């Protein structure tokens, strides 16, 4: 299980324990493993889109900053969508 799957488990247990308990215990590892893998894939795809192609005159440090910012933005969006569920109303 990747870091996003582990993050989801911790968050779901704390934020919405009833929803967490609805997932049968025997299926939880598979559910959160697949959720984490989906999040990783969507983050990578969005990061690539946000980063765009390498500009011709870009320095190494500029590229590192651009790629890091794209990763952070992608994580923020995807985690809000898939991993960091809101508390029940």
């Amino acid at each position: 299980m990747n870091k996003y799957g582990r993050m989801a488990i911790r968050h779901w247990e704390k934020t919405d324990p009833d929803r967490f308990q609805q997932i049968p215990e025997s299926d939880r590892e598979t559910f959160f493993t697949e959720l984490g893998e989906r999040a990783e894939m969507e983050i990578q795809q969005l990061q690539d889109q946000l980063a765009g192609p390498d500009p011709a005159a870009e320095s190494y440090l500029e590229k590192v900053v651009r790629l890091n910012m794209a990763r952070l933005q992608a994580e923020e969006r995807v985690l809000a969508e898939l991993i960091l569920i809101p508390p029940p109303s």
Side-chain angles (χ1 to χ4, degrees):
M1 181 178 309
N2 66 19
K3 69 180 184 177
Y4 301 114
R6 289 188 300 276
M7 180 188 297
I9 287 174
R10 288 189 306 272
H11 181 75
W12 288 41
E13 277 182 306
K14 186 182 292 184
T15 303
D16 194 347
D18 291 335
R19 183 174 176 182
F20 180 80
Q21 292 299 323
Q22 288 177 358
I23 302 167
E25 192 171 343
S26 60
D27 296 337
R28 284 183 194 150
E29 185 170 344
T30 300
F31 176 83
F32 287 105
T33 296
E34 290 174 359
L35 182 63
E37 289 170 357
R38 178 178 168 200
E40 176 65 43
M41 182 185 66
E42 289 187 22
I43 288 167
Q44 186 60 53
Q45 289 173 345
L46 184 54
Q47 175 186 350
D48 292 345
Q49 289 175 351
L50 293 170
D54 294 347
E58 183 177 49
S59 72
Y60 171 77
L61 290 178
E62 289 169 333
K63 181 175 183 169
V64 168
V65 169
R66 179 174 54 83
L67 295 178
N68 283 337
M69 289 304 298
R71 179 72 180 195
L72 291 172
Q73 290 172 343
E75 279 186 334
E76 180 180 23
R77 290 183 193 177
V78 173
L79 292 180
E81 233 176 81
L82 297 177
I83 305 297
L84 303 176
I85 61 171
S89 47

